[in-house]
Coordinates of all heavy atoms in Angstrom, one line a residue:
L23 N -42.5 -25.9 39.0 CA -41.8 -25.6 37.8 C -42.6 -24.5 37.0 O -42.0 -23.6 36.5 CB -41.6 -26.9 36.9 CG -40.6 -27.9 37.4 CD1 -40.7 -29.2 36.6 CD2 -39.2 -27.4 37.4
A24 N -43.9 -24.7 36.8 CA -44.7 -23.8 36.1 C -44.6 -22.4 36.7 O -44.4 -21.4 36.0 CB -46.1 -24.2 36.1
D25 N -44.6 -22.3 38.0 CA -44.5 -21.0 38.6 C -43.1 -20.4 38.5 O -43.0 -19.2 38.2 CB -44.9 -21.1 40.1 CG -46.3 -21.3 40.4 OD1 -47.1 -21.1 39.4 OD2 -46.7 -21.7 41.5
A26 N -42.1 -21.2 38.5 CA -40.7 -20.7 38.4 C -40.5 -20.2 37.0 O -39.7 -19.2 36.8 CB -39.7 -21.9 38.7
F27 N -41.1 -20.8 36.0 CA -41.0 -20.3 34.6 C -42.1 -19.3 34.2 O -42.2 -18.9 33.1 CB -41.1 -21.5 33.6 CG -39.8 -22.3 33.5 CD1 -39.5 -23.4 34.3 CD2 -38.9 -22.0 32.5 CE1 -38.3 -24.1 34.2 CE2 -37.7 -22.8 32.3 CZ -37.4 -23.8 33.2
D28 N -42.9 -19.0 35.2 CA -44.0 -18.0 35.0 C -45.0 -18.5 33.9 O -45.4 -17.7 33.1 CB -43.5 -16.6 34.7 CG -42.9 -16.0 35.9 OD1 -43.3 -16.3 37.1 OD2 -42.0 -15.1 35.7
V29 N -45.3 -19.8 33.8 CA -46.2 -20.3 32.8 C -47.6 -20.2 33.4 O -47.9 -20.6 34.5 CB -45.8 -21.8 32.5 CG1 -46.9 -22.4 31.6 CG2 -44.5 -21.9 31.9
G30 N -48.5 -19.6 32.6 CA -49.8 -19.4 33.0 C -50.6 -20.7 33.1 O -50.2 -21.8 32.7
S31 N -51.9 -20.6 33.5 CA -52.8 -21.7 33.6 C -53.9 -21.7 32.6 O -54.3 -20.6 32.1 CB -53.5 -21.7 35.0 OG -52.5 -21.8 36.0
V32 N -54.4 -22.8 32.2 CA -55.6 -23.0 31.4 C -56.4 -24.1 32.0 O -55.9 -24.9 32.7 CB -55.2 -23.4 29.9 CG1 -54.4 -22.2 29.2 CG2 -54.4 -24.6 29.8
F33 N -57.6 -24.2 31.6 CA -58.5 -25.3 32.0 C -58.5 -25.6 33.5 O -58.4 -26.7 34.0 CB -58.1 -26.6 31.3 CG -58.0 -26.5 29.8 CD1 -56.8 -26.8 29.2 CD2 -59.0 -26.0 29.0 CE1 -56.7 -26.7 27.8 CE2 -58.9 -25.8 27.6 CZ -57.7 -26.2 27.0
G34 N -58.5 -24.5 34.3 CA -58.6 -24.7 35.7 C -57.4 -25.2 36.4 O -57.4 -25.9 37.4
G35 N -56.2 -24.8 36.0 CA -55.0 -25.1 36.7 C -53.9 -25.8 35.8 O -52.8 -25.9 36.2
A36 N -54.3 -26.4 34.7 CA -53.3 -27.0 33.8 C -52.4 -26.0 33.3 O -52.7 -24.8 33.2 CB -54.0 -27.8 32.7
T37 N -51.2 -26.4 32.9 CA -50.2 -25.4 32.4 C -50.5 -25.0 30.9 O -50.9 -25.9 30.1 CB -48.8 -25.9 32.4 OG1 -48.7 -27.2 31.8 CG2 -48.3 -26.1 33.9
A38 N -50.3 -23.8 30.6 CA -50.5 -23.3 29.3 C -49.4 -23.9 28.4 O -48.2 -24.1 28.9 CB -50.4 -21.8 29.2
R39 N -49.7 -24.2 27.2 CA -48.7 -24.8 26.3 C -47.6 -23.7 26.0 O -47.9 -22.7 25.3 CB -49.4 -25.2 25.0 CG -48.6 -26.2 24.2 CD -49.3 -26.7 23.0 NE -50.6 -27.2 23.2 CZ -50.9 -28.4 23.7 NH1 -49.9 -29.3 23.9 NH2 -52.1 -28.8 23.8
T40 N -46.4 -23.9 26.5 CA -45.3 -23.0 26.4 C -44.0 -23.7 26.3 O -43.8 -24.7 27.1 CB -45.3 -22.1 27.7 OG1 -46.5 -21.5 27.9 CG2 -44.2 -21.0 27.5
T41 N -43.1 -23.4 25.4 CA -41.8 -24.0 25.3 C -40.7 -23.0 25.5 O -40.7 -21.9 25.0 CB -41.7 -24.6 23.8 OG1 -42.8 -25.6 23.7 CG2 -40.4 -25.3 23.6
F42 N -39.7 -23.5 26.2 CA -38.5 -22.7 26.5 C -37.3 -23.5 25.9 O -37.2 -24.7 26.1 CB -38.3 -22.6 28.0 CG -39.4 -21.8 28.7 CD1 -40.5 -22.5 29.2 CD2 -39.2 -20.4 28.9 CE1 -41.5 -21.8 29.8 CE2 -40.3 -19.7 29.5 CZ -41.4 -20.4 30.0
V43 N -36.4 -22.7 25.2 CA -35.1 -23.2 24.8 C -34.1 -22.6 25.7 O -34.1 -21.3 25.8 CB -34.9 -22.9 23.3 CG1 -33.5 -23.4 22.9 CG2 -35.9 -23.6 22.4
I44 N -33.3 -23.4 26.3 CA -32.3 -22.9 27.3 C -30.9 -23.2 26.8 O -30.6 -24.4 26.4 CB -32.6 -23.5 28.7 CG1 -34.0 -23.0 29.1 CG2 -31.5 -23.0 29.7 CD1 -34.6 -23.9 30.1
V45 N -30.1 -22.2 26.7 CA -28.7 -22.4 26.3 C -27.8 -21.7 27.3 O -28.0 -20.6 27.7 CB -28.5 -21.7 24.9 CG1 -27.0 -21.9 24.5 CG2 -29.4 -22.3 23.9
D46 N -26.8 -22.5 27.8 CA -25.9 -22.0 28.8 C -26.6 -21.5 30.1 O -26.2 -20.4 30.6 CB -24.9 -20.9 28.3 CG -24.1 -21.5 27.2 OD1 -23.7 -22.7 27.3 OD2 -23.8 -20.8 26.2
G47 N -27.7 -22.1 30.5 CA -28.5 -21.7 31.6 C -29.3 -20.5 31.5 O -29.9 -20.0 32.4
T48 N -29.4 -19.9 30.3 CA -30.2 -18.7 30.0 C -31.3 -19.1 29.0 O -31.1 -19.8 28.0 CB -29.3 -17.6 29.4 OG1 -28.3 -17.3 30.4 CG2 -30.1 -16.4 29.2
V49 N -32.5 -18.5 29.2 CA -33.6 -18.7 28.2 C -33.1 -18.1 26.9 O -32.9 -16.9 26.9 CB -34.9 -18.1 28.8 CG1 -36.0 -18.2 27.7 CG2 -35.3 -18.7 30.1
H50 N -33.1 -18.9 25.9 CA -32.7 -18.4 24.6 C -33.9 -18.0 23.7 O -33.9 -17.1 23.0 CB -31.9 -19.5 23.9 CG -31.6 -19.3 22.4 ND1 -30.5 -18.4 22.1 CD2 -32.1 -19.7 21.3 CE1 -30.5 -18.4 20.8 NE2 -31.4 -19.2 20.3
A51 N -35.0 -18.8 23.9 CA -36.2 -18.6 23.1 C -37.4 -19.1 23.9 O -37.3 -20.0 24.7 CB -36.1 -19.3 21.7
V52 N -38.6 -18.4 23.6 CA -39.8 -18.8 24.3 C -40.9 -18.9 23.2 O -41.0 -18.0 22.4 CB -40.2 -17.8 25.4 CG1 -41.5 -18.2 26.0 CG2 -39.1 -17.5 26.4
Y53 N -41.6 -20.0 23.3 CA -42.8 -20.1 22.3 C -44.0 -20.2 23.1 O -44.2 -21.0 24.1 CB -42.6 -21.5 21.6 CG -41.4 -21.6 20.7 CD1 -40.1 -21.9 21.3 CD2 -41.4 -21.3 19.4 CE1 -39.0 -22.0 20.6 CE2 -40.2 -21.5 18.6 CZ -39.0 -21.8 19.2 OH -37.9 -21.9 18.5
T54 N -45.0 -19.3 22.9 CA -46.3 -19.4 23.5 C -47.4 -19.6 22.5 O -47.2 -19.5 21.3 CB -46.5 -18.0 24.2 OG1 -46.5 -17.0 23.3 CG2 -45.5 -17.7 25.3
D55 N -48.5 -20.0 23.0 CA -49.7 -20.3 22.1 C -49.3 -21.3 21.0 O -49.5 -21.0 19.8 CB -50.3 -19.0 21.5 CG -50.8 -18.1 22.6 OD1 -51.4 -18.5 23.6 OD2 -50.6 -16.8 22.4

């Protein structure tokens, strides 16, 4: 999932804190950091 959403890694492989809002199958908003 992380790779499909292109979410980066932190702490040696854990996913970076990132939120996606999806509407009608399309990414509506992305929150990073």
Side-chain angles (χ1 to χ4, degrees):
L23 290 171
D25 289 346
F27 280 87
D28 291 331
V29 173
S31 297
V32 294
F33 311 123
T37 55
R39 196 176 309 279
T40 309
T41 300
F42 297 87
V43 175
I44 299 155
V45 179
D46 297 327
T48 301
V49 176
H50 174 77
V52 181
Y53 300 81
T54 58
D55 299 321

